[in-house]
Amino acid sequence: RNDRSNGCVTSFYEGFANVTQSSSGTLLCAQGCAVSGTNTSGFIETFKMASDAETVVFLGGLDLRWESEDRDRPNIRLPDIQVDLIQKLSKINPRIVLILMHGGMVGLDDVLDHVEAIVSIGYPGPYAGEVLPRALSGLEQRAWGKLTMTWYRNSITEDLNMLDFEMTRSPGRTYRYYRGNPHFRFGSGLNPLTTFTLQDVALEATNCFEGSGSEGSCGRAVLSVLVTNTGRKEADEVTIAYFAPLDIPEAEPAWQLREQVFGFERIHLNSGESTKVSFSIQGNETFQLADASGNLVTFPGRYQLVVSNGLDWVE
């Protein structure tokens, strides 16, 4: 809102006003709708402003009336009033950046084809009003990361028995076991300032991994990848390393594991700069999984290693 300030925390409106003023731009602001409800009285003003704008930044999502420690949602859909406004806005100005404020998952089925970009900011802290506008304008190089959850489709609450917390039961839960087709995988994410590539993935091992659990002798290895900033701006990048077992017997629950993170690194690269990112592996520790009795063991056999930058997954 452009008529509210508490004097100590920068609002999103104030943050965008500061950025547009410094770049000689013009900021238009309207409250198109509340988080939920049926009041569409703000739509007309919003449509008029959108028709005159180069880009529409839509601040939406959930609040504590929708999700809290003592309240469960019946589904993961974005509130209907927001879906309605976004779909209608896209016909007037398709250049929409959707900013989602939320704690739990938000389904994107109804809006994904109506926006050009989506930024998930959770429930942000007191500096969000400053940082978000600067990040979207390219003034903050270190603001971007990767998704911390799998972004399921709206039907996930129908596909799963929400009272059954068995992680491995089809179609599985979390990035570790889910085998459905989500909108976005855990760890996905782009940096809007630039582009990055992954090359020369290599595994340097001192000896083979042998033994199970604490028995035998598991070797050490280093998984490395060359990360290059191929764009025009300096920026941060996050690289994530995963493993997946290939030979675990089906009698063990762990055979259903799809992938598991064992390391990640955040780096800062100038335009055109490259660096090697490395992940240490020690078999008995890195590949530990729970067996049928609940004990942590390292199963013998082959393991697939994957590195990702949120766009490419390289084996």
Side-chain angles (χ1 to χ4, degrees), residues 9-174:
V9 176
T10 302
S11 69
F12 287 120
Y13 176 83
E14 292 167 330
F16 280 109
N18 292 337
V19 168
T20 53
Q21 184 178 11
S22 64
S23 62
S24 300
T26 300
L27 177 66
L28 305 174
C29 181
Q31 183 176 10
C33 65
V35 173
S36 58
T38 59
N39 187 350
T40 61
S41 60
F43 279 26
I44 299 301
E45 182 185 11
T46 304
F47 296 154
K48 184 179 183 305
M49 290 186 177
S51 66
D52 296 329
E54 180 180 346
T55 302
V56 175
V57 178
F58 188 103
L59 287 161
L62 308 176
D63 61 15
L64 295 181
R65 290 171 295 180
W66 277 83
E67 55 179 4
S68 65
E69 291 291 340
D70 63 346
R71 181 177 294 109
D72 290 331
R73 290 179 289 158
N75 56 62
I76 64 170
R77 298 175 186 275
L78 194 65
D80 291 342
I81 189 74
Q82 296 184 51
V83 171
D84 186 23
L85 181 53
I86 291 171
Q87 291 180 348
K88 290 175 178 175
L89 268 177
S90 68
K91 297 178 182 178
I92 298 169
N93 188 336
R95 292 179 56 81
I96 299 175
V97 178
L98 173 59
I99 310 298
L100 283 177
M101 290 177 282
H102 61 107
M105 174 57 53
V106 177
L108 302 173
D109 297 39
D110 303 317
V111 298
L112 193 58
D113 294 334
H114 297 273
V115 299
E116 287 201 348
I118 299 174
V119 181
S120 168
I121 61 174
Y123 288 129
Y127 295 103
E130 250 181 277
V131 174
L132 176 64
R134 289 178 55 83
L136 288 174
S137 304
L139 300 176
E140 292 285 348
Q141 291 85 32
R142 301 181 182 272
W144 304 102
K146 309 300 178 186
L147 293 180
T148 59
M149 62 181 91
T150 301
W151 281 69
Y152 304 109
R153 297 176 185 273
N154 289 353
S155 61
I156 188 66
T157 53
E158 300 168 3
D159 298 337
L160 291 172
N161 178 355
M162 302 309 290
L163 299 179
D164 180 359
F165 291 91
E166 171 58 52
M167 303 290 284
T168 61
R169 202 178 316 281
S170 179
R173 290 175 180 266
T174 77

